[in-house]
Amino acid sequence: MAINDVTRSLSYSTSQSHTSDAIGHAEDMSNVITNIDPEVTLFLNRFGSEEDATTLKFSWLTEGLQPPGENAHLEKEDYSSKEIGHLEGLENNCQRFVNSYYVTEAQRKVAKVYRPEDELARLLEQCSRKHAADIEYALVNNETTNAEQNKTTPAKTGGVPFFMATQELDVTVGTTDGSITTTKPHGLETGDFVYFTAKTMPTGLSAKTIYYIRTDNTTPKTKFTIFNTQKGAVENIAAEQVKPSAAGTSAKIIKNNVLDLGGTVDYTLDDLNAVMEMAYNRGGNPTHAFMSPAKKRAFSQLVIAQATSYRDMAKKNKLNLVADVIQTDYGVLTAEAHRMLPDSRIYCMDMGYWGIKWFEHTHDVPISKKGSYDERMLESWLGLKCAAPKASAAIIGIKR
């Protein structure tokens, strides 16, 4: 098949009896264009659809119950009531996504080597793939959300990192009474639990360990003491109180289920267990761990290494070389590779709480003809909602 984007020699041939000398041979070319772009919109396909948004900034409430406590009353007493539970408001923006494509009249008409079809329809398919990939990029990478849409700055929706950012507060550790004082109101109640992180951990405290709090009677919003057990915190049992003997440096409390490795070490199965425990103790049930392809490979190696430690390989039991599922102490996790995720993050997600809020569903925007070409736009307007971020967990700061 002769095509005019191939340089062909039309000069005198030395011989038409040998293929290497002859001219006029047709090229062997498939009439189908192979699309090598794989499916990349894992989050967009997995997240459910919420009720459509009616404004460009949407908000919702998440509720948590008070921790359990002592509940014993006299035979004869007056009833009294107190507050129960607490609400927290969350919000996000809708982001407008637009992709364009065009084709000239000549390009639509000219004969092509690939399968015969309308060039505009083919470009629509390619534009749709790019449009979906752009949405997925925002869901995977947008760490912050900005102000509402205005005349000069387009609004961005917060993606998964927006909801799974570390909720931490700087604290001062008292080494005499064991008090912990936060720089801002902590929003915790007696019986809640926290984790500690520090440049130098206060003596007597351990990383990735739950500590239950008892709020101070005088300044409950910014001060508390910590205990090894919830019973100790609720009943103020002195033997259960933890009193650091040295304050350490740059101490912080972590209020959500995020473990930051600081970019110095790779993750371990113990780290996965740790964040699963965090989510479990807050009532979450993560079922899927999303990670980069490289960290998924590391996951398989970690699980296989664990399996070989307990298997009697002398009995020639078959062992799969790829592992996708791990039974943690706090639930079963299925690991999946996401091509857009960086090596530095792993998300353990309770998928039932994640959804897309559509302000405008994806649609084709025809443009009035204004020249010797046809032009189209694809448009979507949406934001990400996570009804309960503390039902999921994350490991961040993983060394590459």
Side-chain angles (χ1 to χ4, degrees):
M1 180 187 300
I3 54 178
N4 49 10
D5 58 350
V6 172
T7 301
R8 181 189 297 277
S9 173
L10 298 178
S11 62
Y12 180 80
S13 65
T14 58
S15 172
Q16 281 295 122
S17 300
H18 299 276
T19 56
S20 59
D21 298 325
I23 65 173
H25 292 161
E27 291 81 12
D28 182 2
M29 180 176 288
S30 170
N31 67 343
V32 176
I33 297 175
T34 302
N35 191 326
I36 64 169
D37 185 26
E39 183 64 54
V40 296
T41 55
L42 195 152
F43 283 166
L44 184 60
N45 292 338
R46 292 292 186 86
F47 294 159
S49 291
E50 297 282 327
E51 183 178 353
D52 285 358
T54 56
T55 60
L56 295 180
K57 180 180 282 291
F58 56 95
S59 59
W60 63 98
L61 295 174
T62 179
E63 183 176 21
L65 294 176
Q66 286 180 315
E70 285 189 296
N71 195 336
H73 292 266
L74 297 170
E75 177 185 352
K76 181 181 182 299
E77 66 177 13
D78 293 333
Y79 287 111
S80 62
S81 60
K82 64 177 183 178
E83 61 192 21
I84 184 168
H86 59 272
L87 293 173
E88 180 183 5
L90 300 173
E91 63 182 11
N92 204 353
N93 291 327
C94 287
Q95 180 173 335
R96 183 169 174 248
F97 298 84
V98 179
N99 292 85
S100 63
Y101 60 103
Y102 73 89
V103 61
T104 66
E105 292 175 355
Q107 174 64 1
R108 295 184 71 175
K109 185 176 180 181
V110 70
K112 301 174 182 66
V113 69
Y114 48 89
R115 63 185 181 188
E117 65 176 25
D118 185 1
E119 188 73 2
L120 196 66
R122 187 183 72 82
L123 293 178
L124 170 60
E125 179 182 352
Q126 295 302 310
C127 187
S128 299
R129 290 176 180 270
K130 176 65 165 63
H131 190 74
D134 289 351
I135 295 174
E136 186 76 6
Y137 180 89
L139 297 178
V140 170
N141 292 292
N142 284 6
E143 298 183 26
T144 60
T145 182
N146 56 5
E148 295 182 58
Q149 183 86 15
N150 58 49
K151 293 182 179 178
T152 58
T153 305
K156 294 175 66 176
T157 186
V160 174
F162 170 68
F163 293 101
M164 300 310 300
T166 306
Q167 293 181 6
E168 59 184 16
L169 284 176
D170 292 313
V171 298
T172 300
V173 178
T175 56
T176 54
D177 60 355
S179 63
I180 309 295
T181 304
T182 59
T183 54
K184 298 178 181 179
H186 50 65
L188 301 168
E189 300 181 39
T190 296
D192 279 332
F193 62 90
V194 296
Y195 299 83
F196 284 85
T197 182
K199 187 174 182 180
T200 303
M201 190 66 68
T203 303
L205 299 184
S206 300
K208 298 187 288 187
T209 300
I210 286 177
Y211 293 98
Y212 295 92
I213 76 157
R214 180 178 181 87
T215 57
D216 185 72
N217 292 330
T218 306
T219 53
K221 292 185 178 181
T222 57
K223 191 175 183 179
F224 56 84
T225 48
I226 56 176
F227 295 78
N228 283 317
T229 64
Q230 192 174 63
K231 177 181 173 67
V234 170
E235 300 180 22
N236 198 18
I237 301 173
E240 292 291 338
Q241 185 179 351
V242 179
K243 293 183 178 181
S245 57
T249 57
S250 303
K252 303 175 187 290
I253 59 168
I254 306 298
K255 297 170 55 181
N256 62 343
N257 315 322
V258 179
L259 177 62
D260 190 345
L261 301 183
T264 59
V265 295
D266 203 350
Y267 79 100
T268 65
L269 293 183
D270 183 62
D271 294 328
L272 284 172
N273 250 318
V275 295
M276 286 291 286
E277 180 185 13
M278 295 177 186
Y280 173 84
N281 282 307
R282 290 194 168 99
N285 181 34
T287 56
H288 289 74
F290 298 102
M291 58 195 73
S292 71
K295 295 308 177 185
K296 172 59 177 67
R297 186 172 66 248
F299 176 90
S300 293
Q301 293 170 349
L302 288 170
V303 174
I304 290 170
Q306 187 78 355
T308 55
S309 297
Y310 296 99
R311 268 185 169 217
D312 184 358
M313 297 308 293
K315 295 181 180 179
K316 298 182 179 179
N317 292 328
K318 183 180 179 181
L319 185 65
N320 292 329
L321 296 179
V322 177
D324 297 321
V325 180
I326 182 174
Q327 173 80 51
T328 74
D329 294 325
Y330 307 97
V332 177
L333 267 181
T334 300
E336 295 190 50
H338 194 305
R339 296 176 182 88
M340 291 189 189
L341 270 175
D343 292 340
S344 59
R345 293 174 176 265
I346 293 176
Y347 296 120
C348 301
M349 301 172 70
D350 192 334
M351 300 300 289
Y353 292 102
W354 297 83
I356 303 294
K357 293 279 286 186
W358 294 90
F359 183 72
E360 285 189 0
H361 290 259
T362 305
H363 58 280
D364 189 23
V365 182
I367 307 297
S368 298
K369 192 173 179 62
K370 53 189 178 184
S372 59
Y373 60 95
D374 292 302
E375 185 179 21
R376 295 289 189 275
M377 300 286 173
L378 272 184
E379 182 179 24
S380 299
W381 221 326
L382 60 95
L384 178 61
K385 175 181 175 180
C386 181
K390 289 185 179 180
S392 297
I395 305 173
I396 64 175
I398 303 170
K399 183 178 180 180
R400 192 172 186 192

